[in-house]
Amino acid sequence: QVQLVESGGGLVQVGGSLRLSCAASGRTLSDYTMGWFRQALGKEREFVAASSRSGAGTYYAYYADSVKGRFSISGVNAKNTVYLQMASLKPEDTAVYYCAAVLAPGGRRLFQRAEYDYWGQGTQVSVSS
């Protein structure tokens, strides 16, 4: 079992930045794909970004078009934590952000909610105009 706990959400003004953290326990996540999703009020949960590492050590990161160039996802560090650095935030980025994980080394791109096995409880990000 993998337990995920998100933190770092909050209220920020348009154009501001936030860094979300996802701390994992229960497993070492070196062979996992780590994803961030978000769900705005009344909308479906959507993919934001994901990262993974191949057995050869190649690092992969990929993003939804809506956040490319503004968000950056890290790989899993020695503390079993992955980060989502968000910059140039917009009101449409307002949502609950969820961390997710699945045992899948790098190379495959996993965009669908159903492809992930483990989820955190979410952290609220609100961007005010």
Side-chain angles (χ1 to χ4, degrees):
Q1 281 285 50
V2 175
Q3 293 81 42
L4 304 173
V5 178
E6 303 96 334
S7 62
L11 176 63
V12 64
Q13 292 187 332
V14 168
S17 300
L18 279 176
R19 188 178 76 162
L20 305 184
S21 300
C22 173
S25 60
R27 290 281 191 277
T28 299
L29 299 181
S30 54
D31 291 333
Y32 281 68
T33 292
M34 302 299 298
W36 285 96
F37 286 72
R38 66 186 182 187
Q39 189 166 14
L41 196 61
K43 295 189 176 181
E44 295 289 319
R45 193 171 300 188
E46 64 176 6
F47 172 81
V48 175
S51 69
S52 60
R53 194 175 295 277
S54 72
T58 303
Y59 173 73
Y60 299 88
Y62 44 100
Y63 302 89
D65 288 342
S66 59
V67 306
K68 276 181 185 174
R70 301 187 299 122
F71 290 14
S72 178
I73 186 171
S74 74
V76 178
N77 67 8
K79 296 182 178 180
N80 235 20
T81 299
V82 64
Y83 300 98
L84 183 69
Q85 181 69 49
M86 306 185 295
S88 302
L89 284 162
K90 305 175 181 180
E92 51 264 43
D93 294 318
T94 295
V96 177
Y97 283 70
Y98 296 90
C99 179
V102 60
L103 180 60
R108 293 173 56 199
R109 294 197 166 203
L110 305 177
F111 296 102
Q112 303 301 319
R113 177 179 180 178
E115 294 177 301
Y116 290 81
D117 293 327
Y118 303 102
W119 292 85
Q121 293 300 306
T123 184
Q124 175 72 47
V125 172
S126 299
V127 184
S128 66
S129 56

